[in-house]
Amino acid sequence: MINLISDTVTKPTPEMLNFMMKAEVGDDVFGQDPSVNELELYVADMFGKDNALFCPSGTMTNQIAIKCHTQPLDEVICDHYSHIYQYETGGYAFNSGVAVNLIHGTNGKITAEQVEAAIKPVYDWLPISKLVVLENSCNKGGGSYYKLDEIAPITQLCKERGLKLHLDGARLFNVLVETEESTVDVGKHFDSISICMSKGLGAPVGSLLIGDKDFITQARRFRKVMGGGMRQAGYLAAACLFALKEQRGRLKIDNDKASEIGRLLEQQPYVELVRPVKTNIVIFDLADGYKADPFLEKLKSRGILAIAIGPETIRFVTHLNYTDEMHVEVLNILKSMV
Ligand SMILES: *Cc1c(COP(=O)(O)O)cnc(C)c1O
């Protein structure tokens, strides 16, 4: 089976496993795991921030960020496609007691004008706009991305209006291989950043929340109360270090394969629309008369696994374990799917 369900399906390579086995570990709840400490400082430095926090998932890093930046009865401004709104079980309400103020952006991207129009005036009967969350790349937006010059006006606006700005950068590195922007420059635009190690980078587990000293001190407390304090987590941190150092540069390969799939789909009679393919995600709507579930069954019978993200909408995600040979096969199968 060729698994294009997500870039989370990757398995550690023998080299990664070997590196993990050799990790020096300690108890990270006491701050004494050398591998976790190394990873946290490595990514903090990468983004020009003071510190970082290793967490089990990107949902946790996002939820902790929302918790740190808000008080109950505040609101978070984000696009309606955002992971924090769509796929985190409504955790913003459960963990932080906040509302969301949704913007209908373009393929998951929002503008400073839209944010400005969304900021609420201060009345007793309204939630207080406190935090803006951007997602880069935008998962449900088909892997679309912001360049920093599109983000800069939002950063500026948040500064002027006293709002915090968080980046859900689960797949940020798939973006940076395209834009060739630096992580330090990304860091300058946000109060906090979440990055995932278990997506395209191919580590088995882990996400990092990055920010300044006081923010991370507070985030550590919230990680603990959410049950995310891990003990000899250094084995996992080692996998993340390996992924960042050895498997980051190759992300361009995944993006290029996705783009090839997108171009081929655009010419197929069973496809209505392919969202612009910018990174490693391909999202397309099926033409009239096709439905996602039977289409997925047919793909499966031919050896390809994918998912539906709507009744007529299919998603493919390319990744580390999707080889050149698999790619040739997928292109051939997609040509003959009618
Ligand atoms: C995957 C993902 C996350 C985090 O997901 P976890 O499965 O909790 O690690 C956050 N944001 C985006 C955009 C994602 O795609």
Side-chain angles (χ1 to χ4, degrees):
M1 278 289 172
I2 299 175
N3 194 336
L4 294 174
I5 288 177
S6 175
D7 45 10
T8 54
V9 302
T10 54
K11 306 252 170 80
T13 58
E15 295 75 28
M16 179 183 273
L17 283 171
N18 194 31
F19 192 78
M20 292 167 73
M21 301 269 280
K22 288 192 301 216
E24 240 190 281
V25 298
D27 188 333
D28 181 50
V29 172
F30 292 109
Q32 288 170 356
D33 186 298
S35 300
V36 172
N37 292 341
E38 184 187 341
L39 172 66
E40 289 176 344
L41 288 178
Y42 182 81
V43 297
D45 199 46
M46 196 181 217
F47 286 88
K49 298 283 193 197
D50 298 337
N51 210 344
L53 186 68
F54 185 47
C55 292
S57 72
T59 299
M60 188 180 281
T61 45
N62 281 335
Q63 290 299 315
I64 292 175
I66 295 170
K67 185 75 189 154
C68 287
H69 291 310
T70 63
Q71 295 295 320
L73 308 184
D74 288 345
E75 76 173 11
V76 179
I77 296 172
C78 62
D79 183 80
H80 68 138
Y81 277 168
S82 301
H83 195 276
I84 59 159
Y85 172 65
Q86 295 274 351
Y87 304 121
E88 298 185 10
T89 331
Y92 55 88
F94 185 76
N95 294 314
S96 301
V98 296
V100 287
N101 183 349
L102 299 177
I103 294 178
H104 287 250
T106 308
N107 294 323
K109 289 171 59 184
I110 60 179
T111 64
E113 290 69 34
Q114 287 174 314
V115 174
E116 185 156 34
I119 297 174
K120 289 193 166 67
V122 179
Y123 291 116
D124 286 350
W125 51 90
L126 296 178
I128 298 173
S129 305
K130 196 64 76 64
L131 171 66
V132 177
V133 176
L134 303 184
E135 193 173 304
N136 208 18
S137 66
C138 316
N139 177 359
K140 209 176 169 159
S144 61
Y145 62 78
Y146 295 90
K147 293 196 72 171
L148 285 175
D149 60 8
E150 298 172 279
I151 292 173
I154 301 178
T155 306
Q156 179 67 24
L157 175 71
C158 287
K159 286 214 171 96
E160 282 165 17
R161 304 291 295 268
L163 276 72
K164 298 290 183 190
L165 185 58
H166 172 70
L167 172 63
D168 177 354
R171 296 190 178 82
L172 179 67
F173 296 109
N174 287 86
V175 175
L176 299 183
V177 293
E178 296 298 325
T179 63
E180 296 179 343
E181 291 161 338
S182 81
T183 43
V184 169
D185 284 339
V186 174
K188 286 178 191 151
H189 289 75
F190 293 93
D191 296 293
S192 57
I193 296 168
S194 161
I195 53 172
C196 288
M197 300 294 115
S198 60
K199 301 275 165 86
L201 286 172
V205 175
S207 291
L208 286 121
L209 181 60
I210 305 153
D212 286 333
K213 191 166 168 287
D214 292 348
F215 171 83
I216 295 296
T217 302
Q218 197 191 8
R220 256 190 104 83
R221 287 181 62 77
F222 289 131
R223 182 184 67 172
K224 193 72 183 83
V225 77
M226 287 179 183
M230 298 182 286
R231 303 294 177 173
Q232 285 74 45
Y235 293 113
L236 299 174
C240 298
L241 278 165
F242 184 90
L244 282 167
K245 290 175 183 173
E246 307 294 333
Q247 295 178 172
R248 182 144 65 103
R250 58 159 305 288
L251 290 171
K252 183 85 176 92
I253 299 171
D254 299 340
N255 292 353
D256 290 347
K257 284 188 178 129
S259 145
E260 241 184 297
I261 294 174
R263 283 200 299 276
L264 184 124
L265 284 172
E266 272 166 9
Q267 296 155 12
Q268 304 310 312
Y270 56 83
V271 174
E272 173 77 33
L273 181 81
V274 184
R275 290 192 199 156
V277 181
K278 302 287 187 182
T279 51
N280 68 328
I281 299 176
V282 184
I283 294 180
F284 61 99
D285 298 323
L286 293 164
D288 279 352
Y290 292 89
K291 291 277 174 223
D293 287 343
F295 189 83
L296 286 176
E297 276 308 311
K298 199 164 160 193
L299 275 178
K300 194 173 167 187
S301 72
R302 305 199 55 186
I304 302 173
L305 298 176
I307 55 164
I309 60 158
E312 281 125 38
T313 309
I314 306 283
R315 189 185 80 169
F316 293 148
V317 187
T318 57
H319 53 75
L320 179 64
N321 293 159
Y322 175 61
T323 63
D324 292 349
E325 294 72 38
M326 291 177 184
H327 186 53
V328 171
E329 199 176 327
V330 165
L331 293 178
N332 280 329
I333 291 170
L334 292 177
K335 266 188 249 173
S336 61
M337 274 295 287
V338 212

